[in-house]
Amino acid sequence: MSSTETEAAGYPFTSFNFSVELTVDGGAPLCNAAFAECDGLELSQEVKTIREGGNNGVQVKLAGAAVYGTLTLKRGLTSSFDLWDWFERSLADTSVRADATVVLHAQDRTTENARWVLHGCLPLKLKAPPLNAKDGMVAVEELQVSYQSLRCQRPSGGGSA
């Protein structure tokens, strides 16, 4: 590890340079627009508690199943209705799934700081933007996605976390 990498290792990443790519059934990328917000990259583990018979002061904790969060993506509404098409397609055919990749970029926008890979993505909720004639705000749509697995990759193919 170089001295520059050692120095940079102590500083937290910024969260504003990221990209999201959704691919349905291994085909071409689904989305034609960038997302402004991405939240819900979560992995937790259930814990099973077992009490020993006759020994009320002892609890044994066992590892349970992995639990994944719900990915929430927000973007400005454009003339591309690709998310709506995907949602309608998944309603018509419940076997339709997508894969997603979320990449956290460094400030130079070319270097990857981290990459999360999600498999078995299923759209849960697609929300149209609120409409208000008094505001001059961008119309933002929101997509919530359930996923079956989540893996974090280190930059430069450094393996899985």
Side-chain angles (χ1 to χ4, degrees), residues 42-124:
E42 298 179 32
L43 172 60
S44 60
Q45 185 171 344
E46 292 179 350
V47 175
K48 306 289 183 186
T49 303
I50 299 175
R51 295 184 180 269
E52 289 186 17
N55 189 354
N56 293 334
V58 176
Q59 294 181 359
V60 177
K61 304 283 184 174
L62 300 176
V67 179
Y68 301 99
T70 299
L71 187 68
T72 301
L73 301 169
K74 294 182 183 181
R75 71 174 188 179
L77 183 63
T78 66
S79 62
S80 171
F81 293 94
D82 44 16
L83 298 179
W84 293 89
D85 294 340
W86 175 40
F87 205 107
E88 289 175 7
R89 189 172 155 201
S90 72
L91 290 173
D93 180 0
T94 57
S95 68
V96 172
R97 296 289 189 270
D99 291 328
T101 303
V102 179
V103 179
L104 180 61
H105 299 279
Q107 290 183 356
D108 65 8
R109 191 79 176 134
T110 59
T111 306
E112 284 187 17
N113 284 335
R115 173 183 289 262
W116 293 271
V117 180
L118 299 83
H119 292 289
C121 298
L122 179 67
L124 296 177

Side-chain angles (χ1 to χ4, degrees), residues 9-47:
Y11 293 100
F13 299 137
T14 56
S15 64
F16 61 88
N17 278 332
F18 68 93
S19 61
V20 178
E21 184 176 287
L22 288 164
T23 307
V24 177
D25 294 332
L30 174 70
C31 296
N32 293 328
F35 290 97
E37 290 183 43
C38 174
D39 188 24
L41 294 168
E42 298 179 32
L43 172 60
S44 60
Q45 185 171 344
E46 292 179 350
V47 175

